[in-house]
Amino acid sequence: MDKILEGLVTSSHPLNLKKLIVKKVVESAENSINEEQCKAMFTLTTRLVLEGEDYFQKQVGHQVLEAYARYHRAEFENFFNRNFVLTLLQEGYGSLDRKDVLIIDYIHSGLKLIMSCPSVLDIFTVLQVEVLRIVCERPEPSLCARLSELLSDFVQCVPKGKMSISFCQQLVRTIGHFQCISTLEKELREYVSQVTKVSSLLQNIWKAEPCTLLPSLQEVFAIISSTVFLFGGSFISDASFEPSVALASLVQHIPLQMITVLIRSLTTDPNVKDASMTQALCRMIDWLSWPLAQHVETWVIALLKGLAAVQKFTILIDVTLLKIELVFNRLWFPLVRPGALAVLSHMLLSFQHSPEAFHMIVPHVVNLVQSFKSDGLPSSTTFLIQFSELMHCMIYHYSGFPDLYEPILEALKDLPKPSEEKVKLILNQSAWTSQSNALASCLPRLSGKSETGKTGLINLGNTCYMNSVLQALFMATDFRRQVLSLNLNGCNSLMKKLQHLFAFLAHTQREAYAPHVFFEASRPPWFTPRSQQDCSEYLRFLLDRLHEEEKTLKAVSSMSPDTMITDGNVQPSSPSGADGFPRPQSTGWKSDDKTLIESMFGGKLQTNICCLNCRSTSQKIEAFSDLSLAFCPPAIDKPAQNMICSPTEKDDDCIEIDVAPETEPQSVNLPSAEEGVKDSELKSVGREIQATSTCVVGAPTCESTVECANDSCRNSERDKPMSVTDLLNYFLAPEILDGENRYHCEKCSSLQNAEKTMQILEEPEYLILTLLRFSYDPKCHVRRKILDNVSIPLVLELPVERTTSVASPGDWNRDGDLPDVGGNLAKKLKPSGTEDMSCTQLITYVLSSIVVHSGTSSESGHYYSYARNINNSARCIQPEKTALTSHQSQIVGKETCNSVVGNDKPCNDMSKEWFLFNDSRVTFTSFQSVLNITSRFPKDTAYVLIYKRHSSGDIDNVQSNSSHGVWVNGEPPLQKELMDAITKDNKLYLQEQELNARTRALQAASASCSFRPNGFDDNDPPGSCGPTGGGGEGGFSTIGRLVF
């Protein structure tokens, strides 16, 4: 077969014929052949891949090699072995030099094909040594980029231990040798891409092995200073070359929190000579020309301020005069303009002893201003306003040169002019003599844990959809406590990872936690990493995974009852099951077979379809974990069947229950407060109302179907925005199946018009509502967002169908879903025979959390969440109209602020219990802010709502647990494994804080400085790409957000 393939690719046959035969060869890989034939085929395809004369031959080599390697794995493992890889790297292949990028690409492809084979470990060991040797030989950017791709995909090949430090240092030095001679845009873009791949590899190594960061930075300084630099060791640089500006690509990966320590060390180290510092600072300023560098200006300004603080004015003067024109010229380039303007402003405003530096750029100012005025871009206007302020400050300070300044003032006459007081303030803050403590103010303050006491979640790159959902679940108090109380020692399940995440969110002292492990474990396979996703889809997938996982563990446990899944020991006395999951108690479920997800988020929904011809009814009962609420079509008004009580706000904090009025006696609406309801009456929502009974006997009927379509069932307040109550009503409203949607009735044996209704049979502990805001546009083939404002009730009444037997009214007392009410209700029922009776109970829910989507598309935007701890002691429910139904009046009508709260806490304290979770940032907020979010920011809309079922027994449960000393402050004790991990991390955090404190102590004697560079504001909006924009938390663990 190899001879056929070799003859084919070198023949002159038409290309289409060649491709057809190659396809046959690839298909023949499934056939069994001996080892010699396999080796011959691998040898031929390797030669085609590495030495093919054209693209077709190389492509054929890749296709056939991959096919034969897949079906003949053992033979390929023998061929692609340790010695073969070593030979390729040290000697090359045929005419190819060992430094050819094709060699690295071939090895990269080979590793993918034998990744599951044991021999790959030997190849990893070889590569750990060889990649260090290759980097020491200063490879070209293209080869270094391909090598970085290989190491990024196969981190096992990265040198370990002491070799990793040497590897990082040599890689830094290799970047310093990079050069791009071409001036073509395409080649320049390719060069920048190659450098970015190499710097990203270094970033990953720094994150995986933090011990390599400081030696790498020492190497950077040794290169740019071109002298001996002692920073815990000595490094001698090679002065025979000019370091590449590609080193700027590393700056964005250095933690900004290290500026204080590093700059202080540099400026106070006696071994760093002035000439070396001058050279290093000049080269750092040259980095401003690197197009994708971030924070270069921050480091440059910090070093300038640090030198001013130690009064090294000679270096500052020399550098300013050498580089001021270069920095000014960078203003012409949009990509680097903001950074260049920041550095130029600092250099000019601090250089106050002489007009020499300013006068060096004066001849070029007018041309720059006129050019930016002519293009009319918004960014140009913003720049001109800032630049005009700088020019007015300099002209004010160096007055007496009218011949030089008049053309500038003429060019700036149409731009705003700062007041004299502002000019004086800017000059006073920027002088070198005022920089004694400027080092601490060149960055945003190193923030400790939020004043809220809550921990944020670091955005790992478009993971705000996950962060917002996890914070909402964490704030679901009962669910969090159940998760933390599980005994999962020795188990590596997703629930264990969630428990670990919740434990750190609850007990870490850090301001934000990076959920790397949980993200990788919980991300749906079809979710593309680092791209925006749908948070509701993620939530549904997460809950389903947790549910199925627990079912599997329970099944395994039931087969081996004497073996505990978690640690191999049976603990019969433990309240938890043998699978490590607790048996739900006091949850209202009638059996112990429910998973934790079912007990917390599971409900049951019944769908009834009634044939309008024969009146037969089919029923289907389904479990649900969330309800997806569609928006009502504009031309269709919703009937009020299963009408849900809509709370309205009172005094911003207390909630009133508002009930839609009933306009016709035959309507199935709940009665209005004006009409009232007798104690002996209970109307069935979605049923036919009988004259002498409030419950429906037997199967549901269809008599009242058409009546709900008339005007009496329509919302009378069309001018108000729709509410969650409206959407729930629309969800539960009857639907007529006609036309193309007709129902096939088995009794009629034909398609018939029918009525479809849905009823909730079992309510969940936590009710998740998803507002279906994204609709598919068939014309543009995109999912568009519905930006309609939806009012969110703090208290919601959910209609749930109850069924009981008239012959045994005591069953109401045994129903855990009707505490305290069922007995009284059963006494008031008037049984007739022994048939089942159905009636509707309104279950009270209180709002727990809201996930907000900011943006106009499901594929972009940003997610953040509002949430609160649901404690009955902090709840205030005040119904406005209590004449609802007999049982509802017992549940809601008698609840006042005093009776529910359980103490004298006023209602207005509710405004202090809400939190805004926006990735790393957590802040206090109020429910009023939640209600007004869409009116203030039209693209920010509530997307996922989580309601907590209100139960009068919650307080007793918490107090009972606390009284026995089992839970502290209502929270369960952590497992030892979790507590040890948190203790270790908190100790590390305290050591980091101590280091920062020691650094700040060195600056305590210096006077404070009020200067803050542009862009750093104490009042920045919370989190990354939040409702008003704004940057996220900085830091080594924070990956740049790419949300919009």
Side-chain angles (χ1 to χ4, degrees):
M1 185 65 69
D2 59 303
K3 299 297 182 182
I4 297 175
L5 180 63
E6 184 176 14
L8 173 68
V9 297
T10 58
S11 68
S12 58
H13 293 301
L15 183 60
N16 291 337
L17 178 60
K18 290 183 179 181
K19 290 182 178 180
L20 183 61
I21 299 177
V22 168
K23 184 178 179 181
K24 297 294 183 181
V25 173
V26 170
E27 293 174 352
S28 69
E30 302 180 15
N31 301 331
S32 176
I33 58 177
N34 58 41
E35 185 175 356
E36 291 184 1
Q37 292 175 321
C38 281
K39 183 177 180 181
M41 182 61 74
F42 293 144
T43 302
L44 172 62
T45 53
T46 298
R47 179 162 56 82
L48 290 176
V49 170
L50 295 176
E51 295 186 311
E53 297 178 357
D54 52 30
Y55 174 76
F56 174 73
Q57 292 188 8
K58 294 180 184 294
Q59 185 184 38
V60 169
H62 277 293
Q63 293 178 350
V64 178
L65 176 64
E66 181 178 350
Y68 274 79
R70 183 169 63 251
Y71 289 105
H72 306 279
R73 184 62 56 86
E75 289 78 3
F76 184 72
E77 185 179 3
N78 293 332
F79 175 80
F80 191 82
N81 55 34
R82 176 181 184 275
N83 294 330
F84 179 63
V85 172
L86 189 62
T87 302
L88 289 176
L89 292 173
Q90 293 184 349
E91 301 177 9
Y93 184 90
S95 61
L96 293 182
D97 183 74
R98 58 190 176 92
K99 295 184 179 181
D100 198 296
V101 295
L102 293 176
I103 299 291
I104 300 297
D105 288 344
Y106 177 79
I107 294 175
H108 194 172
S109 301
L111 289 175
K112 294 180 180 179
L113 295 175
I114 66 164
M115 186 59 191
S116 60
C117 300
S119 62
V120 75
L121 299 177
D122 294 333
I123 300 178
F124 287 160
T125 304
V126 169
L127 287 174
Q128 288 179 6
V129 178
E130 287 300 306
V131 294
L132 178 57
R133 177 189 61 78
I134 293 174
V135 171
C136 290
E137 295 176 353
R138 309 290 176 257
E140 293 296 320
S142 57
L143 177 61
C144 203
R146 299 294 179 86
L147 186 64
S148 298
E149 291 179 352
L150 187 152
L151 296 179
S152 297
D153 289 345
F154 298 95
V155 294
Q156 303 92 330
C157 302
V158 177
K160 301 295 187 294
K162 293 182 179 179
M163 288 177 58
S164 65
I165 296 178
S166 299
F167 178 76
C168 289
Q169 290 175 321
Q170 293 299 328
L171 193 57
V172 168
R173 190 163 289 278
T174 297
I175 295 175
H177 281 78
F178 284 172
Q179 299 294 335
C180 182
I181 303 176
S182 176
T183 57
L184 299 177
E185 181 179 355
K186 181 179 179 180
E187 296 183 4
L188 287 174
R189 288 182 179 273
E190 179 65 23
Y191 172 67
V192 172
S193 174
Q194 293 167 354
V195 173
T196 302
K197 292 177 181 177
V198 180
S199 65
S200 297
L201 172 64
L202 265 175
Q203 179 198 17
N204 294 332
I205 297 176
W206 290 345
K207 290 169 62 178
E209 299 186 53
C211 63
T212 61
L213 176 58
L214 188 57
S216 301
L217 299 183
Q218 294 172 353
E219 191 68 24
V220 172
F221 188 83
I223 294 172
I224 63 176
S225 63
S226 299
T227 186
V228 177
F229 171 58
L230 292 178
F231 195 101
S234 59
F235 299 88
I236 302 177
S237 66
D238 182 4
S240 61
F241 73 99
E242 182 65 23
S244 171
V245 295
L247 287 169
S249 63
L250 301 178
V251 174
Q252 59 189 327
H253 303 311
I254 304 174
L256 290 176
Q257 287 88 339
M258 296 183 66
I259 283 187
T260 301
V261 176
L262 293 180
I263 298 300
R264 184 75 180 184
S265 300
L266 285 175
T267 56
T268 58
D269 192 336
N271 296 293
V272 180
K273 305 303 180 183
D274 286 359
S276 300
M277 183 62 72
T278 301
Q279 187 70 276
L281 185 53
C282 286
R283 285 170 173 165
M284 287 179 65
I285 293 174
D286 291 340
W287 290 352
L288 290 171
S289 61
W290 187 254
L292 300 181
Q294 299 179 14
H295 309 310
V296 171
E297 70 279 4
T298 303
W299 283 87
V300 170
I301 293 173
L303 186 52
L304 291 171
K305 290 186 175 184
L307 292 171
V310 296
Q311 299 182 348
K312 293 187 176 181
F313 300 131
T314 302
I315 298 177
L316 294 172
I317 293 172
D318 291 344
V319 171
T320 301
L321 296 178
L322 283 171
K323 294 297 180 178
I324 193 71
E325 290 183 290
L326 181 143
V327 175
F328 181 86
N329 289 333
R330 293 293 178 266
L331 298 177
W332 291 96
F333 303 98
L335 286 178
V336 300
R337 186 180 301 147
L341 179 59
V343 173
L344 179 70
S345 298
H346 180 79
M347 295 175 76
L348 289 178
L349 292 171
S350 61
F351 199 94
Q352 296 186 10
H353 67 285
S354 166
E356 183 178 2
F358 178 50
H359 287 179
M360 291 177 70
I361 68 166
V362 163
H364 314 292
V365 169
V366 174
N367 290 337
L368 182 73
V369 172
Q370 291 177 345
S371 175
F372 279 87
K373 277 186 174 183
S374 62
D375 63 24
L377 296 175
S379 59
S380 300
T381 303
T382 303
F383 163 77
L384 284 177
I385 293 174
Q386 298 173 349
F387 185 74
S388 173
E389 182 177 276
L390 173 63
M391 292 297 101
H392 281 295
C393 289
M394 300 310 299
I395 292 174
Y396 176 88
H397 186 65
Y398 298 120
S399 58
F401 300 90
D403 55 326
L404 295 178
Y405 301 155
E406 282 182 359
I408 297 177
L409 293 174
E410 180 65 23
L412 300 175
K413 65 180 181 180
D414 297 330
L415 296 170
K417 179 180 179 180
S419 64
E420 183 176 355
E421 291 76 14
K422 184 175 183 179
V423 170
K424 290 180 179 179
L425 178 62
I426 293 174
L427 291 171
N428 289 336
Q429 291 176 343
S430 305
W432 284 335
T433 54
S434 67
Q435 302 304 313
S436 57
N437 196 34
L439 193 58
S441 63
C442 64
L443 280 175
R445 290 195 304 269
L446 295 179
S447 58
K449 195 164 185 177
S450 166
E451 61 179 355
T452 63
K454 304 296 181 182
T455 302
L457 287 172
I458 294 173
N459 193 312
L460 308 178
N462 282 342
T463 58
C464 56
Y465 69 89
M466 176 189 70
N467 291 349
S468 59
V469 165
L470 291 178
Q471 292 286 19
L473 292 178
F474 177 79
M475 294 298 288
T477 307
D478 290 349
F479 176 65
R480 177 184 72 245
R481 290 172 177 173
Q482 290 290 346
V483 170
L484 291 178
S485 66
L486 298 177
N487 180 14
L488 298 173
N489 290 334
C491 180
N492 192 31
S493 62
L494 181 61
M495 182 65 79
K496 174 66 175 178
K497 294 179 174 62
L498 180 64
Q499 184 185 62
H500 187 276
L501 173 64
F502 278 7
F504 268 79
L505 287 177
H507 299 286
T508 185
Q509 295 183 9
R510 298 183 181 275
E511 65 271 18
Y513 177 77
H516 293 284
V517 175
F518 190 82
F519 172 68
E520 293 299 330
S522 65
R523 178 176 60 85
W526 60 89
F527 276 19
T528 305
R530 301 190 66 82
S531 64
Q532 187 61 284
Q533 305 294 344
D534 189 326
C535 78
S536 68
E537 184 179 5
Y538 172 81
L539 174 59
R540 196 173 295 112
F541 176 85
L542 175 62
L543 296 181
D544 185 66
R545 275 279 307 276
L546 294 171
H547 168 69
E548 294 297 329
E549 181 183 79
E550 184 179 348
K551 285 175 58 179
T552 302
L553 289 175
K554 286 186 175 183
V556 173
S557 176
S558 64
M559 290 186 293
S560 303
D562 298 331
T563 303
M564 189 171 183
I565 296 298
T566 55
D567 54 12
N569 298 320
V570 180
Q571 299 177 355
S573 60
S574 172
S576 299
D579 50 18
F581 289 85
R583 300 303 183 189
Q585 299 179 8
S586 302
T587 59
W589 297 101
K590 297 181 181 179
S591 69
D592 291 337
D593 296 332
K594 305 292 184 181
T595 66
L596 177 59
I597 300 303
E598 282 179 305
S599 64
M600 289 291 159
F601 303 100
K604 288 186 179 179
L605 187 70
Q606 175 176 290
T607 302
N608 305 313
I609 300 181
C610 175
C611 176
L612 297 181
N613 181 44
C614 66
R615 301 301 182 186
S616 63
T617 302
S618 65
Q619 296 180 343
K620 181 180 180 182
I621 299 178
E622 299 173 294
F624 70 88
S625 60
D626 71 312
L627 298 180
S628 299
L629 306 182
F631 281 69
C632 314
I636 300 178
D637 290 299
K638 304 172 295 299
Q641 182 204 24
N642 288 0
M643 195 64 188
I644 300 166
C645 298
S646 174
T648 57
E649 189 176 358
K650 181 177 183 180
D651 297 334
D652 296 335
D653 299 309
C654 297
I655 300 300
E656 303 173 352
I657 304 299
D658 184 17
V659 183
E662 183 181 35
T663 57
E664 293 187 13
Q666 294 80 10
S667 175
V668 296
N669 289 352
L670 291 175
S672 67
E674 290 78 0
E675 294 173 345
V677 178
K678 297 180 182 179
D679 288 343
S680 61
E681 291 183 2
L682 176 65
K683 290 199 174 183
S684 173
V685 181
R687 308 287 192 187
E688 180 184 9
I689 307 301
Q690 297 190 10
T692 60
S693 176
T694 58
C695 291
V696 177
V697 179
T701 60
C702 315
E703 300 298 327
S704 59
T705 300
V706 183
E707 295 181 8
C708 290
N710 60 25
D711 293 339
S712 64
C713 298
R714 299 182 180 179
N715 187 354
S716 61
E717 297 179 356
R718 304 297 293 174
D719 55 319
K720 292 185 178 180
M722 68 180 66
S723 67
V724 173
T725 303
D726 297 328
L727 300 185
L728 266 172
N729 286 332
Y730 181 68
F731 177 84
L732 296 173
E735 177 185 1
I736 300 299
L737 305 179
D738 55 7
E740 295 181 354
N741 296 325
R742 284 186 299 169
Y743 164 70
H744 185 274
C745 178
E746 294 182 358
K747 186 174 181 180
C748 299
S749 299
S750 61
L751 294 175
Q752 297 291 337
N753 292 343
E755 177 199 43
K756 176 182 176 183
T757 59
M758 288 188 290
Q759 298 168 328
I760 297 174
L761 300 184
E762 290 186 8
E763 75 278 13
E765 186 69 19
Y766 285 95
L767 175 64
I768 301 177
L769 303 177
T770 301
L771 310 187
L772 299 180
R773 290 192 171 275
F774 301 107
S775 60
Y776 181 72
D777 186 344
K779 295 183 179 179
C780 302
H781 302 289
V782 295
R783 294 176 67 195
R784 298 193 180 277
K785 182 178 178 181
I786 300 173
L787 295 173
D788 293 355
N789 190 11
V790 176
S791 62
I792 303 170
L794 187 59
V795 180
L796 191 68
E797 302 289 333
L798 185 71
V800 179
E801 292 296 316
R802 303 297 191 195
T803 302
T804 186
S805 174
V806 176
S808 56
D811 288 347
W812 287 98
N813 292 325
R814 294 194 298 269
D815 189 348
D817 291 299
L818 293 171
D820 301 329
V821 179
N824 296 331
L825 182 61
K827 295 176 182 179
K828 299 173 184 179
L829 294 175
K830 298 181 179 179
S832 58
T834 59
E835 298 182 59
D836 289 343
M837 303 183 68
S838 175
C839 58
T840 299
Q841 179 184 0
L842 295 179
I843 303 300
T844 305
Y845 281 88
V846 289
L847 184 61
S848 172
S849 57
I850 304 172
V851 178
V852 177
H853 177 263
S854 176
T856 58
S857 169
S858 60
E859 290 77 25
S860 64
H862 177 62
Y863 290 99
Y864 55 97
S865 57
Y866 293 91
R868 61 169 176 162
N869 286 315
I870 296 295
N871 294 318
N872 283 339
S873 59
R875 196 175 304 149
C876 173
I877 302 177
Q878 179 178 345
E880 178 188 26
K881 303 172 183 178
T882 59
L884 302 175
T885 62
S886 59
H887 89 278
Q888 186 183 355
S889 64
Q890 296 174 36
I891 294 179
V892 182
K894 295 182 181 179
E895 290 180 352
T896 63
C897 292
N898 294 329
S899 63
V900 175
V901 169
N903 56 32
D904 295 329
K905 185 175 181 180
C907 294
N908 56 15
D909 278 358
M910 290 182 64
S911 62
K912 300 179 182 178
E913 64 185 22
W914 284 92
F915 304 93
L916 169 60
F917 295 92
N918 202 328
D919 286 337
S920 300
R921 299 188 62 169
V922 185
T923 56
F924 286 114
T925 187
S926 65
F927 185 63
Q928 190 64 36
S929 298
V930 178
L931 294 178
N932 295 335
I933 186 66
T934 303
S935 60
R936 288 185 292 125
F937 308 100
K939 293 190 295 184
D940 293 22
T941 54
Y943 186 34
V944 177
L945 312 176
I946 300 180
Y947 282 83
K948 170 69 170 67
R949 185 177 64 174
H950 173 66
S951 174
S952 59
D954 290 347
I955 299 178
D956 296 334
N957 292 338
V958 174
Q959 291 174 345
S960 174
N961 288 329
S962 300
S963 65
H964 287 84
V966 178
W967 290 7
V968 180
N969 295 327
E971 297 295 334
L974 295 182
Q975 302 293 330
K976 184 178 183 300
E977 178 186 359
L978 279 176
M979 184 57 70
D980 290 344
I982 294 173
T983 302
K984 180 179 179 180
D985 185 75
N986 283 341
K987 183 178 179 181
L988 176 62
Y989 177 73
L990 291 177
Q991 291 173 348
E992 297 170 357
Q993 293 298 96
E994 182 180 358
L995 176 61
N996 292 335
R998 289 177 181 273
T999 303
R1000 290 192 295 270
L1002 297 175
Q1003 306 166 359
S1006 302
S1008 62
C1009 172
S1010 59
F1011 174 80
R1012 291 178 64 81
N1014 293 336
F1016 298 118
D1017 187 350
D1018 289 344
N1019 297 319
D1020 286 341
S1024 67
C1025 51
T1028 58
E1033 296 287 279
F1036 188 43
S1037 300
T1038 305
I1039 300 178
R1041 287 115 168 119
L1042 304 174
V1043 179
F1044 287 100

